[in-house]
Amino acid sequence: MKTIMAIANYGVLAHEKETVYTFGGNHHHADFSEEVKIDIPDEFRLSRNHLEEYLIDVPTGETFLLSEILGFKGGCPVIHWQSRNEYHTVPLESREV
């Protein structure tokens, strides 16, 4: 299990009643944001590119920018991506810093 620091954003327009999770910065429509720890399961591999952006290798073999596939569902953080016309969503655990 790996841990990353992400942002929990509250009061985001059209998502006022749920927490919106982002990586690399606050959501620009958030009323309030705070840093949280998110656990990434072992089947995902984290690395960085030459621009020092975080990359994540998913179990289906693709590599994405972490900021592009970290999202939320029902107010909880998830990793979600599409691979060969199939959608994947993996729920994640978060906790306060």
Side-chain angles (χ1 to χ4, degrees), residues 3 10-11 14-15 18-19 22-23 34 36 38 43 46 57 59 63 66-67 71 74 76 78 89:
T3 301
Y10 306 98
H15 299 282
E18 60 187 343
T19 306
T22 55
F23 182 79
E34 66 179 344
V36 294
I38 294 182
E43 59 264 19
L46 294 173
D57 297 333
T63 302
L66 180 58
S67 59
C76 297
V78 297
T89 302

Side-chain angles (χ1 to χ4, degrees), residues 49-81:
N49 64 12
H50 64 285
L51 298 174
E52 293 298 312
E53 298 168 314
Y54 276 90
L55 302 173
I56 185 165
D57 297 333
V58 296
T60 53
E62 295 90 1
T63 302
F64 298 95
L65 286 172
L66 180 58
S67 59
E68 291 179 341
I69 67 170
L70 177 67
F72 63 95
K73 184 173 184 177
C76 297
V78 297
I79 293 176
H80 57 95
W81 74 98

